Amino acid sequence: IWPSADAPIPLDAIILPDISMARSSLGHPEWLRLDLHANIFRKNWGVIGVLVRHIPITYQLDGGPLFSYRVQHAPLENDYPHSEVQAFDGERHLDTRESVPEDLHLEWRANLLEAFNTYIRPSEQWAIRNAPPKSYVPEPHPDRKD
């Protein structure tokens, strides 16, 4: 939920568990605006991203249990670049919102938000590149003028 293109990314835009992402080595940011479930292009969607190395790997609050986060490639039928950031308590996958302690959910999202970069703001118009990416580093869009 991003209220406007010039507003900062709100904390509520990041929700555990299983944050849906796409690997930049397998797809371009503008590809994420193709809603394959509804079979439409979502021009009002923004795209944010984070380098895997900037994702907090472990988190512990006040001497409590140690939680970990993993980036898992989770390809879907029509979305091969799809990946997820998944939360774990030991080896137990925290796969429901209720399984993630509220204080951990808030603190981890705030830290992750600091690591995000904005690639496409809501309603920005970019041509969709057909050629796959050349590397794992997000490539600048040829239409971008900044």
Side-chain angles (χ1 to χ4, degrees):
I1 305 163
W2 196 341
S4 69
D6 47 347
I9 302 164
L11 184 60
D12 289 341
I14 304 168
I15 300 171
L16 285 172
D18 301 348
I19 298 172
S20 185
M21 298 185 158
R23 291 199 179 263
S24 59
S25 62
L26 301 172
H28 296 292
E30 66 271 16
W31 292 7
L32 297 174
R33 297 168 92 186
L34 300 170
D35 183 346
L36 299 173
H37 299 289
N39 199 30
I40 59 174
F41 179 73
R42 302 283 188 169
K43 67 180 178 183
N44 61 331
W45 283 4
V47 178
I48 57 177
V50 62
L51 296 175
V52 170
R53 69 175 174 262
H54 294 152
I55 295 174
I57 296 172
T58 59
Y59 217 85
Q60 186 172 27
L61 291 172
D62 301 326
L66 182 65
F67 295 92
S68 62
Y69 304 93
R70 302 176 195 156
V71 177
Q72 304 284 350
H73 184 216
L76 301 173
E77 183 178 343
N78 293 321
D79 187 4
Y80 185 75
H82 182 260
S83 299
E84 295 176 344
V85 177
Q86 299 176 343
F88 291 84
D89 179 0
E91 289 302 312
R92 184 173 64 96
H93 178 205
L94 304 176
D95 59 355
T96 65
R97 172 67 181 86
E98 297 74 31
S99 66
V100 180
E102 188 58 38
D103 52 352
L104 174 73
H105 188 252
L106 180 65
E107 189 72 23
W108 188 82
R109 290 183 305 148
N111 286 331
L112 188 61
L113 186 59
E114 291 179 20
F116 272 117
N117 294 306
T118 301
Y119 292 104
I120 302 173
R121 293 195 166 277
S123 298
E124 272 186 330
Q125 299 304 307
W126 299 108
I128 298 173
R129 293 174 275 188
N130 293 321
K134 295 181 179 100
S135 74
Y136 70 92
V137 178
E139 300 166 11
H141 196 285
D143 293 345
R144 191 162 211 130
K145 304 288 187 245
D146 56 27

